[in-house]
Amino acid sequence: MLYNDISNWLKNYLEGSGLECFVVGISGGIDSALTSTLAARTGKRTIVVSIPIHQQQEQLIRANDHVHWLKSKFKNVQSIEIDLTQTFEQFKSLFNKEDNLALANSRSRLRMVTLYQIATMNRGLVVGTGNKVEDFGVGFYTKYGDGGVDISPIADLMKSEVREVAAQLGINQEIIDAPPTDGLWEDNRTDEDQIGASYEELEWAMNCDQQSELTESQKQVLNIYKKYNEQNKHKMSPIPVFLK
């Protein structure tokens, strides 16, 4: 099974690194739920971390429910919750101009710093939770935020495959069915609200044969995909280096 292959890969990588545990940020979404479950299945110590910043209540409830489910199934799972709301507000107060996108990205980067603090203190690896559409299709993640990780176990899985594997592992159906969101905006906007297309449509666009005849709606989705893919190339490509 695919989930066995991924968990074995995680276990072998951790053992080869000489480190001792996995650290996974938990959001209440399906990607982090699956990633944390795959890490827990290795039998290695897995620290799951909830890091709310003005978080919507339903997201916190889903995250807590998943943590309780994980700990009931795997004795190697440890949980931590660190509320960074006040830290974020203090950070925001340092600037005399509000830029909502910059602040949303700062939330993600504050979480990354927290995960690495925990990982360093525990000799651990920070495990990425991005899927293939996000990481290699539209670049829908924060550079040096949720994109700052040590290992990416589900980055070759389409969102539909993430849902399929999550269902096979018995992950809470409420999490599987929840509208995907990055949880970085106080108005609870979904990923589809931000991108303008669903993950199913983006998967289609990633695999689209552009030689075939397209409907107007398909052309629109393809244009959305191309726009994000192009503007986020700086995230998905290696950092440019001047070579002397």
Side-chain angles (χ1 to χ4, degrees), residues 180-200:
T181 176
D182 56 17
L184 301 178
W185 304 86
E186 292 185 38
D187 61 6
N188 204 23
R189 67 189 69 175
T190 66
D191 293 353
E192 185 172 348
D193 291 333
Q194 296 184 66
I195 298 170
S198 67
Y199 279 100
E200 289 76 14

mmCIF file of all heavy atoms in Angstrom, residues 180-200:
data_model
loop_
_atom_site.group_PDB
_atom_site.id
_atom_site.type_symbol
_atom_site.label_atom_id
_atom_site.label_comp_id
_atom_site.label_asym_id
_atom_site.label_seq_id
_atom_site.Cartn_x
_atom_site.Cartn_y
_atom_site.Cartn_z
ATOM 1 N N PRO A 180 -10.596 22.980 1.832
ATOM 2 C CA PRO A 180 -9.192 23.292 2.094
ATOM 3 C C PRO A 180 -8.974 24.784 2.333
ATOM 4 O O PRO A 180 -9.509 25.628 1.603
ATOM 5 C CB PRO A 180 -8.489 22.840 0.807
ATOM 6 C CG PRO A 180 -9.412 21.859 0.179
ATOM 7 C CD PRO A 180 -10.783 22.325 0.524
ATOM 8 N N THR A 181 -8.197 25.108 3.367
ATOM 9 C CA THR A 181 -7.863 26.497 3.659
ATOM 10 C C THR A 181 -6.477 26.552 4.275
ATOM 11 O O THR A 181 -6.077 25.634 4.990
ATOM 12 C CB THR A 181 -8.893 27.133 4.619
ATOM 13 O OG1 THR A 181 -8.476 28.462 4.945
ATOM 14 C CG2 THR A 181 -9.042 26.328 5.887
ATOM 15 N N ASP A 182 -5.754 27.639 3.995
ATOM 16 C CA ASP A 182 -4.426 27.781 4.593
ATOM 17 C C ASP A 182 -4.492 28.337 6.008
ATOM 18 O O ASP A 182 -3.493 28.359 6.723
ATOM 19 C CB ASP A 182 -3.509 28.641 3.718
ATOM 20 C CG ASP A 182 -4.066 30.032 3.413
ATOM 21 O OD1 ASP A 182 -4.994 30.476 4.123
ATOM 22 O OD2 ASP A 182 -3.574 30.670 2.461
ATOM 23 N N GLY A 183 -5.676 28.815 6.440
ATOM 24 C CA GLY A 183 -5.854 29.279 7.813
ATOM 25 C C GLY A 183 -5.067 30.529 8.150
ATOM 26 O O GLY A 183 -4.782 30.786 9.321
ATOM 27 N N LEU A 184 -4.760 31.351 7.140
ATOM 28 C CA LEU A 184 -3.939 32.533 7.369
ATOM 29 C C LEU A 184 -4.735 33.833 7.330
ATOM 30 O O LEU A 184 -4.161 34.912 7.485
ATOM 31 C CB LEU A 184 -2.818 32.611 6.315
ATOM 32 C CG LEU A 184 -1.857 31.421 6.270
ATOM 33 C CD1 LEU A 184 -0.839 31.614 5.141
ATOM 34 C CD2 LEU A 184 -1.149 31.239 7.609
ATOM 35 N N TRP A 185 -6.061 33.714 7.135
ATOM 36 C CA TRP A 185 -6.890 34.906 6.981
ATOM 37 C C TRP A 185 -8.022 34.865 8.000
ATOM 38 O O TRP A 185 -8.634 33.825 8.226
ATOM 39 C CB TRP A 185 -7.467 34.971 5.569
ATOM 40 C CG TRP A 185 -6.419 34.923 4.512
ATOM 41 C CD1 TRP A 185 -5.857 33.812 3.963
ATOM 42 C CD2 TRP A 185 -5.783 36.035 3.879
ATOM 43 N NE1 TRP A 185 -4.922 34.159 3.031
ATOM 44 C CE2 TRP A 185 -4.849 35.511 2.951
ATOM 45 C CE3 TRP A 185 -5.924 37.420 4.005
ATOM 46 C CZ2 TRP A 185 -4.059 36.334 2.152
ATOM 47 C CZ3 TRP A 185 -5.132 38.236 3.207
ATOM 48 C CH2 TRP A 185 -4.214 37.699 2.298
ATOM 49 N N GLU A 186 -8.326 36.001 8.584
ATOM 50 C CA GLU A 186 -9.345 36.041 9.639
ATOM 51 C C GLU A 186 -10.759 35.879 9.096
ATOM 52 O O GLU A 186 -11.696 35.614 9.856
ATOM 53 C CB GLU A 186 -9.207 37.331 10.444
ATOM 54 C CG GLU A 186 -7.915 37.356 11.256
ATOM 55 C CD GLU A 186 -7.804 38.579 12.154
ATOM 56 O OE1 GLU A 186 -8.834 38.991 12.715
ATOM 57 O OE2 GLU A 186 -6.687 39.106 12.291
ATOM 58 N N ASP A 187 -10.962 36.045 7.780
ATOM 59 C CA ASP A 187 -12.296 35.872 7.216
ATOM 60 C C ASP A 187 -12.562 34.429 6.787
ATOM 61 O O ASP A 187 -13.574 34.135 6.160
ATOM 62 C CB ASP A 187 -12.513 36.825 6.039
ATOM 63 C CG ASP A 187 -11.517 36.594 4.893
ATOM 64 O OD1 ASP A 187 -10.724 35.624 4.968
ATOM 65 O OD2 ASP A 187 -11.520 37.381 3.937
ATOM 66 N N ASN A 188 -11.619 33.510 7.124
ATOM 67 C CA ASN A 188 -11.819 32.078 6.887
ATOM 68 C C ASN A 188 -11.954 31.739 5.402
ATOM 69 O O ASN A 188 -12.622 30.771 5.043
ATOM 70 C CB ASN A 188 -13.054 31.569 7.652
ATOM 71 C CG ASN A 188 -12.980 30.077 7.920
ATOM 72 O OD1 ASN A 188 -11.911 29.483 7.944
ATOM 73 N ND2 ASN A 188 -14.135 29.450 8.110
ATOM 74 N N ARG A 189 -11.337 32.514 4.528
ATOM 75 C CA ARG A 189 -11.423 32.222 3.101
ATOM 76 C C ARG A 189 -10.759 30.870 2.796
ATOM 77 O O ARG A 189 -9.771 30.488 3.405
ATOM 78 C CB ARG A 189 -10.775 33.343 2.279
ATOM 79 C CG ARG A 189 -9.271 33.480 2.440
ATOM 80 C CD ARG A 189 -8.729 34.740 1.783
ATOM 81 N NE ARG A 189 -9.152 35.948 2.464
ATOM 82 C CZ ARG A 189 -8.737 37.172 2.130
ATOM 83 N NH1 ARG A 189 -7.914 37.327 1.107
ATOM 84 N NH2 ARG A 189 -9.161 38.219 2.797
ATOM 85 N N THR A 190 -11.318 30.173 1.831
ATOM 86 C CA THR A 190 -10.795 28.866 1.448
ATOM 87 C C THR A 190 -9.705 29.028 0.391
ATOM 88 O O THR A 190 -9.516 30.106 -0.184
ATOM 89 C CB THR A 190 -11.909 27.980 0.878
ATOM 90 O OG1 THR A 190 -12.378 28.559 -0.356
ATOM 91 C CG2 THR A 190 -13.079 27.860 1.853
ATOM 92 N N ASP A 191 -9.005 27.926 0.107
ATOM 93 C CA ASP A 191 -8.011 27.949 -0.966
ATOM 94 C C ASP A 191 -8.673 28.281 -2.298
ATOM 95 O O ASP A 191 -8.128 29.038 -3.109
ATOM 96 C CB ASP A 191 -7.309 26.592 -1.068
ATOM 97 C CG ASP A 191 -6.447 26.298 0.149
ATOM 98 O OD1 ASP A 191 -6.292 27.189 1.005
ATOM 99 O OD2 ASP A 191 -5.942 25.159 0.252
ATOM 100 N N GLU A 192 -9.860 27.699 -2.531
ATOM 101 C CA GLU A 192 -10.557 27.958 -3.795
ATOM 102 C C GLU A 192 -10.954 29.419 -3.913
ATOM 103 O O GLU A 192 -10.895 30.003 -4.999
ATOM 104 C CB GLU A 192 -11.791 27.054 -3.913
ATOM 105 C CG GLU A 192 -12.499 27.186 -5.250
ATOM 106 C CD GLU A 192 -13.612 26.165 -5.443
ATOM 107 O OE1 GLU A 192 -13.693 25.211 -4.642
ATOM 108 O OE2 GLU A 192 -14.393 26.335 -6.399
ATOM 109 N N ASP A 193 -11.348 30.036 -2.791
ATOM 110 C CA ASP A 193 -11.668 31.465 -2.805
ATOM 111 C C ASP A 193 -10.460 32.277 -3.273
ATOM 112 O O ASP A 193 -10.594 33.247 -4.015
ATOM 113 C CB ASP A 193 -12.071 31.954 -1.406
ATOM 114 C CG ASP A 193 -13.404 31.394 -0.941
ATOM 115 O OD1 ASP A 193 -14.241 31.067 -1.802
ATOM 116 O OD2 ASP A 193 -13.608 31.294 0.285
ATOM 117 N N GLN A 194 -9.291 31.894 -2.800
ATOM 118 C CA GLN A 194 -8.075 32.643 -3.128
ATOM 119 C C GLN A 194 -7.589 32.371 -4.550
ATOM 120 O O GLN A 194 -7.181 33.298 -5.257
ATOM 121 C CB GLN A 194 -6.961 32.285 -2.145
ATOM 122 C CG GLN A 194 -7.252 32.690 -0.708
ATOM 123 C CD GLN A 194 -6.078 32.394 0.203
ATOM 124 O OE1 GLN A 194 -5.008 32.987 0.070
ATOM 125 N NE2 GLN A 194 -6.263 31.472 1.133
ATOM 126 N N ILE A 195 -7.631 31.108 -4.960
ATOM 127 C CA ILE A 195 -7.065 30.744 -6.259
ATOM 128 C C ILE A 195 -8.053 30.984 -7.391
ATOM 129 O O ILE A 195 -7.668 31.399 -8.490
ATOM 130 C CB ILE A 195 -6.614 29.267 -6.245
ATOM 131 C CG1 ILE A 195 -5.526 29.053 -5.193
ATOM 132 C CG2 ILE A 195 -6.105 28.835 -7.622
ATOM 133 C CD1 ILE A 195 -5.188 27.590 -4.948
ATOM 134 N N GLY A 196 -9.325 30.713 -7.127
ATOM 135 C CA GLY A 196 -10.335 30.856 -8.166
ATOM 136 C C GLY A 196 -10.646 29.559 -8.879
ATOM 137 O O GLY A 196 -11.383 29.534 -9.864
ATOM 138 N N ALA A 197 -10.086 28.460 -8.395
ATOM 139 C CA ALA A 197 -10.344 27.135 -8.974
ATOM 140 C C ALA A 197 -10.205 26.095 -7.875
ATOM 141 O O ALA A 197 -9.466 26.296 -6.905
ATOM 142 C CB ALA A 197 -9.373 26.834 -10.117
ATOM 143 N N SER A 198 -10.899 24.981 -8.033
ATOM 144 C CA SER A 198 -10.831 23.912 -7.043
ATOM 145 C C SER A 198 -9.584 23.059 -7.289
ATOM 146 O O SER A 198 -8.958 23.129 -8.363
ATOM 147 C CB SER A 198 -12.070 23.019 -7.139
ATOM 148 O OG SER A 198 -12.065 22.303 -8.372
ATOM 149 N N TYR A 199 -9.221 22.224 -6.305
ATOM 150 C CA TYR A 199 -8.076 21.341 -6.486
ATOM 151 C C TYR A 199 -8.336 20.318 -7.590
ATOM 152 O O TYR A 199 -7.416 19.938 -8.327
ATOM 153 C CB TYR A 199 -7.719 20.639 -5.173
ATOM 154 C CG TYR A 199 -6.890 21.518 -4.266
ATOM 155 C CD1 TYR A 199 -7.468 22.205 -3.205
ATOM 156 C CD2 TYR A 199 -5.531 21.692 -4.488
ATOM 157 C CE1 TYR A 199 -6.719 23.035 -2.384
ATOM 158 C CE2 TYR A 199 -4.764 22.510 -3.670
ATOM 159 C CZ TYR A 199 -5.368 23.180 -2.621
ATOM 160 O OH TYR A 199 -4.619 24.003 -1.825
ATOM 161 N N GLU A 200 -9.582 19.889 -7.727
ATOM 162 C CA GLU A 200 -9.911 18.955 -8.798
ATOM 163 C C GLU A 200 -9.640 19.602 -10.162
ATOM 164 O O GLU A 200 -9.085 18.962 -11.070
ATOM 165 C CB GLU A 200 -11.371 18.528 -8.700
ATOM 166 C CG GLU A 200 -11.701 17.617 -7.528
ATOM 167 C CD GLU A 200 -11.783 18.357 -6.192
ATOM 168 O OE1 GLU A 200 -11.842 19.613 -6.195
ATOM 169 O OE2 GLU A 200 -11.776 17.682 -5.145
#
